[in-house]
Amino acid sequence: MRVDELAKTLDHTVLRAGTTVADVERACGEARDLHVAALCSFPAFVPLMADRLRGSDVKVCTVVSFPFGLDGPEAKVCAAEQAVKAGAEEIDVVMNVSALLSGQPTQARDELVRVVRAARRTAGMSGRGEVIVKAIVEAPLLGEPLTRLACKIVADAGCDFAKTCTGVGTAADPRDVEVMRDALPAAVAVKAAGGIRTADDAVVMLEAGASRIGTSAAPQILGAVRAGTPV
């Protein structure tokens, strides 16, 4: 895989506790130079990212109800609306995994539906065009039957992607990616995230069926490929 092709599968992430303005500014420069698909950080940094990435081919991405998905529905909707108004073009929202594990899949679905509608309505009203919504399902916590159910919920809610996990206490697994890709309709893509540190890690996830990779190691991954490290 060519380095420019690999770059456009990567969401460069800055989601560490204690993230500073300087961290995000540095990541904006890296994202522009590397031509990754998106830069993802906390909602507080969306205006900064939107300013620094303006005119580039890198999308502004942020998270909603990160990392546990347990904010109330109104809070999730408000967060999505505010993020889009501030310049977010992509939103990674954590599904209410607790509801799913508690036998309440309808609650998890209804929350996602509201977030997707709010994000797209806000984007339309602000003239920003399409906004991509990725739902984080925390597959490592679910097992295969519930992961398949989560994927159905993601598709029914109108999301663009199902994402394996937050990476907070969980890590992407190629088997989860395979299950998710099989369970989702063709129109809904898979994003793998959590513990993806090398080009080999990324390629394994892509070969399993992912279209996007979330990683805080995008500069290292692409640097290794440019240096001729085998992939």
Side-chain angles (χ1 to χ4, degrees):
M1 179 178 291
R2 297 201 323 255
V3 66
D4 57 332
E5 294 174 333
L6 181 59
K8 280 304 175 192
T9 70
L10 301 182
D11 287 358
H12 187 20
T13 63
V14 189
L15 293 168
R16 299 179 300 276
T19 295
T20 66
V21 168
D23 293 332
V24 177
E25 289 182 329
R26 180 170 56 253
C28 287
E30 292 169 342
R32 290 184 72 113
D33 291 343
L34 295 169
H35 299 281
V36 294
L39 176 64
C40 185
S41 193
F42 298 106
F45 297 115
V46 168
L48 174 62
M49 292 190 291
D51 179 67
R52 298 295 191 270
L53 295 174
R54 187 173 292 112
S56 76
D57 60 348
V58 180
K59 300 296 186 183
V60 176
C61 178
T62 195
V63 289
V64 167
S65 200
F66 186 89
F68 300 121
L70 287 174
D71 294 315
E74 295 296 337
K76 291 180 180 180
V77 167
C78 182
E81 291 173 341
Q82 292 301 315
V84 173
K85 287 178 182 177
E89 299 162 288
E90 301 191 358
I91 290 174
D92 287 18
V93 55
V94 185
M95 176 187 283
N96 189 337
V97 179
S98 178
L100 199 57
L101 290 168
S102 300
Q104 299 170 327
T106 300
Q107 180 181 345
R109 183 203 63 203
D110 291 350
E111 288 185 11
L112 274 184
V113 167
R114 292 185 64 186
V115 169
V116 170
R117 289 178 177 172
R120 294 194 174 137
R121 180 178 62 248
T122 305
M125 291 174 62
S126 62
R128 295 186 180 277
E130 292 295 322
V131 60
I132 289 174
V133 180
K134 312 183 198 106
I136 305 172
V137 304
E138 288 291 17
L141 302 181
L142 298 180
E144 184 170 336
L146 282 180
T147 295
R148 290 183 176 275
L149 175 58
C151 287
K152 183 179 188 306
I153 289 170
V154 169
D156 289 348
C159 299
D160 302 285
F161 281 78
K163 179 177 170 182
T164 56
C165 55
T166 60
V168 178
T170 53
D173 185 298
R175 176 57 185 158
D176 289 334
V177 174
E178 290 170 354
V179 168
M180 292 167 65
R181 182 61 278 162
D182 182 66
L184 290 163
V188 183
V190 177
K191 177 177 173 179
I196 300 170
R197 302 288 183 187
T198 69
D200 284 341
D201 292 339
V203 170
V204 165
M205 297 301 171
L206 294 171
E207 290 178 344
S211 301
R212 287 274 193 101
I213 303 294
T215 178
S216 60
Q220 293 79 13
I221 289 172
L222 296 174
V225 175
R226 285 198 176 96
T229 302
V231 177

